PDB file of all heavy atoms in Angstrom:
ATOM      1  N   HIS A   1     219.226 117.104 110.216  1.00 79.00           N
ATOM      2  CA  HIS A   1     218.127 117.573 111.060  1.00 79.00           C
ATOM      3  C   HIS A   1     217.620 116.546 112.074  1.00 79.00           C
ATOM      4  O   HIS A   1     217.313 116.908 113.196  1.00 79.00           O
ATOM      5  CB  HIS A   1     216.956 118.080 110.212  1.00 79.00           C
ATOM      6  CG  HIS A   1     215.784 118.548 111.008  1.00 79.00           C
ATOM      7  ND1 HIS A   1     215.806 119.740 111.705  1.00 79.00           N
ATOM      8  CD2 HIS A   1     214.571 117.985 111.234  1.00 79.00           C
ATOM      9  CE1 HIS A   1     214.643 119.893 112.318  1.00 79.00           C
ATOM     10  NE2 HIS A   1     213.888 118.849 112.062  1.00 79.00           N
ATOM     11  N   THR A   2     217.521 115.301 111.714  1.00 76.00           N
ATOM     12  CA  THR A   2     216.852 114.317 112.574  1.00 76.00           C
ATOM     13  C   THR A   2     217.703 113.885 113.766  1.00 76.00           C
ATOM     14  O   THR A   2     217.170 113.368 114.746  1.00 76.00           O
ATOM     15  CB  THR A   2     216.500 113.057 111.783  1.00 76.00           C
ATOM     16  OG1 THR A   2     217.713 112.376 111.421  1.00 76.00           O
ATOM     17  CG2 THR A   2     215.684 113.374 110.542  1.00 76.00           C
ATOM     18  N   HIS A   3     219.008 114.025 113.686  1.00 76.00           N
ATOM     19  CA  HIS A   3     219.960 113.558 114.708  1.00 76.00           C
ATOM     20  C   HIS A   3     219.777 112.059 114.974  1.00 76.00           C
ATOM     21  O   HIS A   3     220.218 111.562 115.993  1.00 76.00           O
ATOM     22  CB  HIS A   3     219.829 114.347 116.013  1.00 76.00           C
ATOM     23  CG  HIS A   3     220.093 115.808 115.847  1.00 76.00           C
ATOM     24  ND1 HIS A   3     221.300 116.384 116.134  1.00 76.00           N
ATOM     25  CD2 HIS A   3     219.295 116.813 115.402  1.00 76.00           C
ATOM     26  CE1 HIS A   3     221.241 117.670 115.885  1.00 76.00           C
ATOM     27  NE2 HIS A   3     220.043 117.965 115.433  1.00 76.00           N
ATOM     28  N   ASN A   4     219.068 111.400 114.069  1.00 75.00           N
ATOM     29  CA  ASN A   4     218.751 109.971 114.204  1.00 75.00           C
ATOM     30  C   ASN A   4     218.073 109.680 115.543  1.00 75.00           C
ATOM     31  O   ASN A   4     218.273 108.650 116.161  1.00 75.00           O
ATOM     32  CB  ASN A   4     219.996 109.097 114.031  1.00 75.00           C
ATOM     33  CG  ASN A   4     219.643 107.640 113.800  1.00 75.00           C
ATOM     34  OD1 ASN A   4     218.559 107.321 113.324  1.00 75.00           O
ATOM     35  ND2 ASN A   4     220.557 106.751 114.116  1.00 75.00           N
ATOM     36  N   GLY A   5     217.283 110.624 115.979  1.00 65.00           N
ATOM     37  CA  GLY A   5     216.544 110.441 117.225  1.00 65.00           C
ATOM     38  C   GLY A   5     217.266 110.926 118.462  1.00 65.00           C
ATOM     39  O   GLY A   5     216.644 111.341 119.412  1.00 65.00           O
ATOM     40  N   GLN A   6     218.563 110.866 118.462  1.00 74.00           N
ATOM     41  CA  GLN A   6     219.453 111.364 119.517  1.00 74.00           C
ATOM     42  C   GLN A   6     219.259 110.678 120.865  1.00 74.00           C
ATOM     43  O   GLN A   6     220.203 110.199 121.452  1.00 74.00           O
ATOM     44  CB  GLN A   6     219.330 112.885 119.680  1.00 74.00           C
ATOM     45  CG  GLN A   6     220.292 113.469 120.692  1.00 74.00           C
ATOM     46  CD  GLN A   6     220.176 114.981 120.800  1.00 74.00           C
ATOM     47  OE1 GLN A   6     219.854 115.659 119.855  1.00 74.00           O
ATOM     48  NE2 GLN A   6     220.454 115.491 121.970  1.00 74.00           N
ATOM     49  N   ILE A   7     218.043 110.674 121.385  1.00 78.00           N
ATOM     50  CA  ILE A   7     217.785 110.096 122.708  1.00 78.00           C
ATOM     51  C   ILE A   7     216.601 109.130 122.610  1.00 78.00           C
ATOM     52  O   ILE A   7     215.562 109.478 122.044  1.00 78.00           O
ATOM     53  CB  ILE A   7     217.447 111.193 123.743  1.00 78.00           C
ATOM     54  CG1 ILE A   7     218.599 112.194 123.865  1.00 78.00           C
ATOM     55  CG2 ILE A   7     217.120 110.593 125.096  1.00 78.00           C
ATOM     56  CD1 ILE A   7     218.268 113.404 124.697  1.00 78.00           C
ATOM     57  N   PHE A   8     216.756 107.945 123.152  1.00 84.00           N
ATOM     58  CA  PHE A   8     215.646 106.985 123.207  1.00 84.00           C
ATOM     59  C   PHE A   8     214.498 107.614 123.998  1.00 84.00           C
ATOM     60  O   PHE A   8     214.746 108.236 125.031  1.00 84.00           O
ATOM     61  CB  PHE A   8     216.130 105.697 123.886  1.00 84.00           C
ATOM     62  CG  PHE A   8     215.038 104.699 124.083  1.00 84.00           C
ATOM     63  CD1 PHE A   8     214.681 103.854 123.064  1.00 84.00           C
ATOM     64  CD2 PHE A   8     214.345 104.634 125.284  1.00 84.00           C
ATOM     65  CE1 PHE A   8     213.665 102.930 123.239  1.00 84.00           C
ATOM     66  CE2 PHE A   8     213.321 103.720 125.466  1.00 84.00           C
ATOM     67  CZ  PHE A   8     212.982 102.874 124.438  1.00 84.00           C
ATOM     68  N   PRO A   9     213.288 107.524 123.560  1.00 82.00           N
ATOM     69  CA  PRO A   9     212.717 106.835 122.412  1.00 82.00           C
ATOM     70  C   PRO A   9     212.486 107.744 121.197  1.00 82.00           C
ATOM     71  O   PRO A   9     211.718 107.415 120.312  1.00 82.00           O
ATOM     72  CB  PRO A   9     211.384 106.331 122.951  1.00 82.00           C
ATOM     73  CG  PRO A   9     210.933 107.441 123.852  1.00 82.00           C
ATOM     74  CD  PRO A   9     212.210 107.978 124.480  1.00 82.00           C
ATOM     75  N   LEU A  10     213.161 108.913 121.159  1.00 79.00           N
ATOM     76  CA  LEU A  10     212.948 109.829 120.036  1.00 79.00           C
ATOM     77  C   LEU A  10     213.364 109.225 118.695  1.00 79.00           C
ATOM     78  O   LEU A  10     212.894 109.665 117.649  1.00 79.00           O
ATOM     79  CB  LEU A  10     213.677 111.156 120.276  1.00 79.00           C
ATOM     80  CG  LEU A  10     213.156 111.983 121.443  1.00 79.00           C
ATOM     81  CD1 LEU A  10     213.986 113.251 121.607  1.00 79.00           C
ATOM     82  CD2 LEU A  10     211.691 112.318 121.272  1.00 79.00           C
ATOM     83  N   ASN A  11     214.231 108.217 118.716  1.00 82.00           N
ATOM     84  CA  ASN A  11     214.584 107.547 117.469  1.00 82.00           C
ATOM     85  C   ASN A  11     213.341 106.953 116.801  1.00 82.00           C
ATOM     86  O   ASN A  11     213.223 106.966 115.581  1.00 82.00           O
ATOM     87  CB  ASN A  11     215.664 106.490 117.693  1.00 82.00           C
ATOM     88  CG  ASN A  11     215.305 105.488 118.769  1.00 82.00           C
ATOM     89  OD1 ASN A  11     214.845 105.860 119.856  1.00 82.00           O
ATOM     90  ND2 ASN A  11     215.519 104.216 118.486  1.00 82.00           N
ATOM     91  N   PHE A  12     212.388 106.468 117.578  1.00 84.00           N
ATOM     92  CA  PHE A  12     211.147 105.939 117.005  1.00 84.00           C
ATOM     93  C   PHE A  12     210.263 107.065 116.476  1.00 84.00           C
ATOM     94  O   PHE A  12     209.575 106.906 115.478  1.00 84.00           O
ATOM     95  CB  PHE A  12     210.385 105.103 118.045  1.00 84.00           C
ATOM     96  CG  PHE A  12     211.133 103.875 118.467  1.00 84.00           C
ATOM     97  CD1 PHE A  12     211.635 103.783 119.756  1.00 84.00           C
ATOM     98  CD2 PHE A  12     211.355 102.830 117.578  1.00 84.00           C
ATOM     99  CE1 PHE A  12     212.344 102.650 120.157  1.00 84.00           C
ATOM    100  CE2 PHE A  12     212.062 101.699 117.969  1.00 84.00           C
ATOM    101  CZ  PHE A  12     212.561 101.613 119.260  1.00 84.00           C
ATOM    102  N   VAL A  13     210.304 108.217 117.141  1.00 83.00           N
ATOM    103  CA  VAL A  13     209.514 109.367 116.700  1.00 83.00           C
ATOM    104  C   VAL A  13     210.009 109.862 115.350  1.00 83.00           C
ATOM    105  O   VAL A  13     209.222 110.069 114.425  1.00 83.00           O
ATOM    106  CB  VAL A  13     209.557 110.508 117.755  1.00 83.00           C
ATOM    107  CG1 VAL A  13     208.865 111.757 117.230  1.00 83.00           C
ATOM    108  CG2 VAL A  13     208.926 110.036 119.060  1.00 83.00           C
ATOM    109  N   VAL A  14     211.333 110.052 115.197  1.00 81.00           N
ATOM    110  CA  VAL A  14     211.840 110.562 113.918  1.00 81.00           C
ATOM    111  C   VAL A  14     211.623 109.550 112.794  1.00 81.00           C
ATOM    112  O   VAL A  14     211.372 109.928 111.656  1.00 81.00           O
ATOM    113  CB  VAL A  14     213.312 111.025 113.983  1.00 81.00           C
ATOM    114  CG1 VAL A  14     213.484 112.189 114.926  1.00 81.00           C
ATOM    115  CG2 VAL A  14     214.253 109.913 114.303  1.00 81.00           C
ATOM    116  N   LYS A  15     211.678 108.275 113.113  1.00 84.00           N
ATOM    117  CA  LYS A  15     211.399 107.256 112.088  1.00 84.00           C
ATOM    118  C   LYS A  15     209.944 107.321 111.633  1.00 84.00           C
ATOM    119  O   LYS A  15     209.633 107.025 110.486  1.00 84.00           O
ATOM    120  CB  LYS A  15     211.737 105.859 112.597  1.00 84.00           C
ATOM    121  CG  LYS A  15     213.224 105.612 112.650  1.00 84.00           C
ATOM    122  CD  LYS A  15     213.549 104.244 113.203  1.00 84.00           C
ATOM    123  CE  LYS A  15     215.054 104.094 113.292  1.00 84.00           C
ATOM    124  NZ  LYS A  15     215.459 102.862 113.944  1.00 84.00           N
ATOM    125  N   ALA A  16     209.050 107.728 112.519  1.00 84.00           N
ATOM    126  CA  ALA A  16     207.638 107.874 112.154  1.00 84.00           C
ATOM    127  C   ALA A  16     207.387 109.174 111.401  1.00 84.00           C
ATOM    128  O   ALA A  16     206.501 109.239 110.552  1.00 84.00           O
ATOM    129  CB  ALA A  16     206.766 107.821 113.407  1.00 84.00           C
ATOM    130  N   LEU A  17     208.170 110.218 111.693  1.00 84.00           N
ATOM    131  CA  LEU A  17     207.953 111.527 111.082  1.00 84.00           C
ATOM    132  C   LEU A  17     208.562 111.667 109.694  1.00 84.00           C
ATOM    133  O   LEU A  17     208.065 112.430 108.868  1.00 84.00           O
ATOM    134  CB  LEU A  17     208.529 112.630 111.978  1.00 84.00           C
ATOM    135  CG  LEU A  17     207.803 112.894 113.282  1.00 84.00           C
ATOM    136  CD1 LEU A  17     208.574 113.904 114.118  1.00 84.00           C
ATOM    137  CD2 LEU A  17     206.392 113.392 113.014  1.00 84.00           C
ATOM    138  N   PHE A  18     209.663 110.977 109.435  1.00 83.00           N
ATOM    139  CA  PHE A  18     210.393 111.147 108.182  1.00 83.00           C
ATOM    140  C   PHE A  18     210.401 109.858 107.384  1.00 83.00           C
ATOM    141  O   PHE A  18     210.562 108.776 107.943  1.00 83.00           O
ATOM    142  CB  PHE A  18     211.840 111.583 108.468  1.00 83.00           C
ATOM    143  CG  PHE A  18     211.930 112.928 109.136  1.00 83.00           C
ATOM    144  CD1 PHE A  18     212.033 113.018 110.514  1.00 83.00           C
ATOM    145  CD2 PHE A  18     211.899 114.088 108.391  1.00 83.00           C
ATOM    146  CE1 PHE A  18     212.118 114.250 111.146  1.00 83.00           C
ATOM    147  CE2 PHE A  18     211.979 115.330 109.005  1.00 83.00           C
ATOM    148  CZ  PHE A  18     212.083 115.413 110.382  1.00 83.00           C
ATOM    149  N   GLU A  19     210.269 110.015 106.074  1.00 81.00           N
ATOM    150  CA  GLU A  19     210.334 108.854 105.187  1.00 81.00           C
ATOM    151  C   GLU A  19     211.665 108.122 105.359  1.00 81.00           C
ATOM    152  O   GLU A  19     211.723 106.897 105.354  1.00 81.00           O
ATOM    153  CB  GLU A  19     210.176 109.314 103.736  1.00 81.00           C
ATOM    154  CG  GLU A  19     210.168 108.208 102.743  1.00 81.00           C
ATOM    155  CD  GLU A  19     209.898 108.695 101.333  1.00 81.00           C
ATOM    156  OE1 GLU A  19     209.400 109.820 101.145  1.00 81.00           O
ATOM    157  OE2 GLU A  19     210.179 107.933 100.394  1.00 81.00           O
ATOM    158  N   LYS A  20     212.746 108.895 105.494  1.00 83.00           N
ATOM    159  CA  LYS A  20     214.064 108.331 105.785  1.00 83.00           C
ATOM    160  C   LYS A  20     214.702 109.215 106.840  1.00 83.00           C
ATOM    161  O   LYS A  20     215.021 110.370 106.602  1.00 83.00           O
ATOM    162  CB  LYS A  20     214.935 108.286 104.522  1.00 83.00           C
ATOM    163  CG  LYS A  20     216.275 107.649 104.741  1.00 83.00           C
ATOM    164  CD  LYS A  20     216.127 106.188 105.131  1.00 83.00           C
ATOM    165  CE  LYS A  20     217.473 105.504 105.283  1.00 83.00           C
ATOM    166  NZ  LYS A  20     217.342 104.146 105.747  1.00 83.00           N
ATOM    167  N   ALA A  21     214.880 108.704 108.048  1.00 82.00           N
ATOM    168  CA  ALA A  21     215.382 109.497 109.170  1.00 82.00           C
ATOM    169  C   ALA A  21     216.892 109.428 109.315  1.00 82.00           C
ATOM    170  O   ALA A  21     217.487 110.254 109.989  1.00 82.00           O
ATOM    171  CB  ALA A  21     214.724 109.043 110.468  1.00 82.00           C
ATOM    172  N   TYR A  22     217.525 108.414 108.678  1.00 84.00           N
ATOM    173  CA  TYR A  22     218.972 108.280 108.806  1.00 84.00           C
ATOM    174  C   TYR A  22     219.487 107.295 107.763  1.00 84.00           C
ATOM    175  O   TYR A  22     218.839 106.291 107.470  1.00 84.00           O
ATOM    176  CB  TYR A  22     219.355 107.781 110.202  1.00 84.00           C
ATOM    177  CG  TYR A  22     220.834 107.553 110.355  1.00 84.00           C
ATOM    178  CD1 TYR A  22     221.704 108.633 110.487  1.00 84.00           C
ATOM    179  CD2 TYR A  22     221.371 106.282 110.325  1.00 84.00           C
ATOM    180  CE1 TYR A  22     223.073 108.443 110.587  1.00 84.00           C
ATOM    181  CE2 TYR A  22     222.737 106.078 110.436  1.00 84.00           C
ATOM    182  CZ  TYR A  22     223.579 107.159 110.558  1.00 84.00           C
ATOM    183  OH  TYR A  22     224.925 106.965 110.660  1.00 84.00           O
ATOM    184  N   GLY A  23     220.659 107.592 107.237  1.00 88.00           N
ATOM    185  CA  GLY A  23     221.346 106.646 106.366  1.00 88.00           C
ATOM    186  C   GLY A  23     221.119 106.897 104.884  1.00 88.00           C
ATOM    187  O   GLY A  23     220.712 107.978 104.462  1.00 88.00           O
ATOM    188  N   PHE A  24     221.393 105.861 104.090  1.00 93.00           N
ATOM    189  CA  PHE A  24     221.271 105.920 102.634  1.00 93.00           C
ATOM    190  C   PHE A  24     219.901 105.426 102.201  1.00 93.00           C
ATOM    191  O   PHE A  24     219.367 104.472 102.776  1.00 93.00           O
ATOM    192  CB  PHE A  24     222.361 105.067 101.975  1.00 93.00           C
ATOM    193  CG  PHE A  24     222.260 105.024 100.484  1.00 93.00           C
ATOM    194  CD1 PHE A  24     222.724 106.072  99.717  1.00 93.00           C
ATOM    195  CD2 PHE A  24     221.674 103.933  99.857  1.00 93.00           C
ATOM    196  CE1 PHE A  24     222.616 106.042  98.329  1.00 93.00           C
ATOM    197  CE2 PHE A  24     221.567 103.890  98.475  1.00 93.00           C
ATOM    198  CZ  PHE A  24     222.040 104.950  97.712  1.00 93.00           C
ATOM    199  N   TYR A  25     219.385 106.049 101.180  1.00 94.00           N
ATOM    200  CA  TYR A  25     218.052 105.714 100.679  1.00 94.00           C
ATOM    201  C   TYR A  25     218.026 106.006  99.186  1.00 94.00           C
ATOM    202  O   TYR A  25     218.728 106.898  98.709  1.00 94.00           O
ATOM    203  CB  TYR A  25     217.030 106.585 101.415  1.00 94.00           C
ATOM    204  CG  TYR A  25     215.582 106.357 101.086  1.00 94.00           C
ATOM    205  CD1 TYR A  25     214.987 105.124 101.253  1.00 94.00           C
ATOM    206  CD2 TYR A  25     214.798 107.407 100.642  1.00 94.00           C
ATOM    207  CE1 TYR A  25     213.640 104.924 100.985  1.00 94.00           C
ATOM    208  CE2 TYR A  25     213.448 107.217 100.361  1.00 94.00           C
ATOM    209  CZ  TYR A  25     212.876 105.982 100.534  1.00 94.00           C
ATOM    210  OH  TYR A  25     211.549 105.802 100.269  1.00 94.00           O
ATOM    211  N   ARG A  26     217.220 105.281  98.449  1.00 95.00           N
ATOM    212  CA  ARG A  26     217.064 105.535  97.021  1.00 95.00           C
ATOM    213  C   ARG A  26     215.582 105.519  96.680  1.00 95.00           C
ATOM    214  O   ARG A  26     214.848 104.653  97.153  1.00 95.00           O
ATOM    215  CB  ARG A  26     217.793 104.477  96.210  1.00 95.00           C
ATOM    216  CG  ARG A  26     217.693 104.696  94.710  1.00 95.00           C
ATOM    217  CD  ARG A  26     218.292 103.545  93.918  1.00 95.00           C
ATOM    218  NE  ARG A  26     219.718 103.423  94.087  1.00 95.00           N
ATOM    219  CZ  ARG A  26     220.625 103.994  93.303  1.00 95.00           C
ATOM    220  NH1 ARG A  26     220.234 104.733  92.293  1.00 95.00           N
ATOM    221  NH2 ARG A  26     221.905 103.807  93.524  1.00 95.00           N
ATOM    222  N   ARG A  27     215.191 106.508  95.889  1.00 93.00           N
ATOM    223  CA  ARG A  27     213.841 106.585  95.320  1.00 93.00           C
ATOM    224  C   ARG A  27     214.029 106.735  93.831  1.00 93.00           C
ATOM    225  O   ARG A  27     214.494 107.778  93.385  1.00 93.00           O
ATOM    226  CB  ARG A  27     213.116 107.835  95.822  1.00 93.00           C
ATOM    227  CG  ARG A  27     212.207 107.678  96.952  1.00 93.00           C
ATOM    228  CD  ARG A  27     211.651 109.069  97.310  1.00 93.00           C
ATOM    229  NE  ARG A  27     210.375 108.929  97.934  1.00 93.00           N
ATOM    230  CZ  ARG A  27     209.210 109.073  97.309  1.00 93.00           C
ATOM    231  NH1 ARG A  27     209.164 109.403  96.054  1.00 93.00           N
ATOM    232  NH2 ARG A  27     208.093 108.894  97.960  1.00 93.00           N
ATOM    233  N   GLY A  28     213.731 105.699  93.071  1.00 93.00           N
ATOM    234  CA  GLY A  28     213.974 105.765  91.631  1.00 93.00           C
ATOM    235  C   GLY A  28     215.455 105.992  91.372  1.00 93.00           C
ATOM    236  O   GLY A  28     216.303 105.291  91.901  1.00 93.00           O
ATOM    237  N   GLU A  29     215.778 107.022  90.590  1.00 93.00           N
ATOM    238  CA  GLU A  29     217.166 107.342  90.279  1.00 93.00           C
ATOM    239  C   GLU A  29     217.789 108.323  91.275  1.00 93.00           C
ATOM    240  O   GLU A  29     218.965 108.648  91.167  1.00 93.00           O
ATOM    241  CB  GLU A  29     217.265 107.931  88.861  1.00 93.00           C
ATOM    242  CG  GLU A  29     216.872 106.957  87.764  1.00 93.00           C
ATOM    243  CD  GLU A  29     217.794 105.738  87.741  1.00 93.00           C
ATOM    244  OE1 GLU A  29     219.030 105.923  87.756  1.00 93.00           O
ATOM    245  OE2 GLU A  29     217.274 104.603  87.724  1.00 93.00           O
ATOM    246  N   THR A  30     217.004 108.815  92.223  1.00 96.00           N
ATOM    247  CA  THR A  30     217.503 109.791  93.187  1.00 96.00           C
ATOM    248  C   THR A  30     218.021 109.079  94.429  1.00 96.00           C
ATOM    249  O   THR A  30     217.345 108.202  94.969  1.00 96.00           O
ATOM    250  CB  THR A  30     216.398 110.795  93.566  1.00 96.00           C
ATOM    251  OG1 THR A  30     215.927 111.439  92.379  1.00 96.00           O
ATOM    252  CG2 THR A  30     216.923 111.851  94.533  1.00 96.00           C
ATOM    253  N   GLN A  31     219.215 109.474  94.859  1.00 96.00           N
ATOM    254  CA  GLN A  31     219.822 108.917  96.058  1.00 96.00           C
ATOM    255  C   GLN A  31     219.768 109.966  97.171  1.00 96.00           C
ATOM    256  O   GLN A  31     219.902 111.154  96.905  1.00 96.00           O
ATOM    257  CB  GLN A  31     221.273 108.527  95.782  1.00 96.00           C
ATOM    258  CG  GLN A  31     221.377 107.486  94.669  1.00 96.00           C
ATOM    259  CD  GLN A  31     222.808 107.252  94.283  1.00 96.00           C
ATOM    260  OE1 GLN A  31     223.512 106.514  94.970  1.00 96.00           O
ATOM    261  NE2 GLN A  31     223.253 107.887  93.224  1.00 96.00           N
ATOM    262  N   TYR A  32     219.599 109.504  98.392  1.00 96.00           N
ATOM    263  CA  TYR A  32     219.484 110.388  99.548  1.00 96.00           C
ATOM    264  C   TYR A  32     220.431 109.896 100.627  1.00 96.00           C
ATOM    265  O   TYR A  32     220.546 108.695 100.859  1.00 96.00           O
ATOM    266  CB  TYR A  32     218.060 110.366 100.126  1.00 96.00           C
ATOM    267  CG  TYR A  32     216.987 110.696  99.123  1.00 96.00           C
ATOM    268  CD1 TYR A  32     216.478 109.722  98.268  1.00 96.00           C
ATOM    269  CD2 TYR A  32     216.489 111.988  99.026  1.00 96.00           C
ATOM    270  CE1 TYR A  32     215.497 110.030  97.343  1.00 96.00           C
ATOM    271  CE2 TYR A  32     215.489 112.301  98.105  1.00 96.00           C
ATOM    272  CZ  TYR A  32     215.014 111.317  97.269  1.00 96.00           C
ATOM    273  OH  TYR A  32     214.050 111.627  96.353  1.00 96.00           O
TER     274      TYR A  32
END
């Protein structure tokens, strides 16, 4: 969904809107 921002400066917007906007992430035992 996030397209990792797609166009500058939207990458900063999606990083502010989503806990994790792109890539690998772990919360406890859950991987994203």
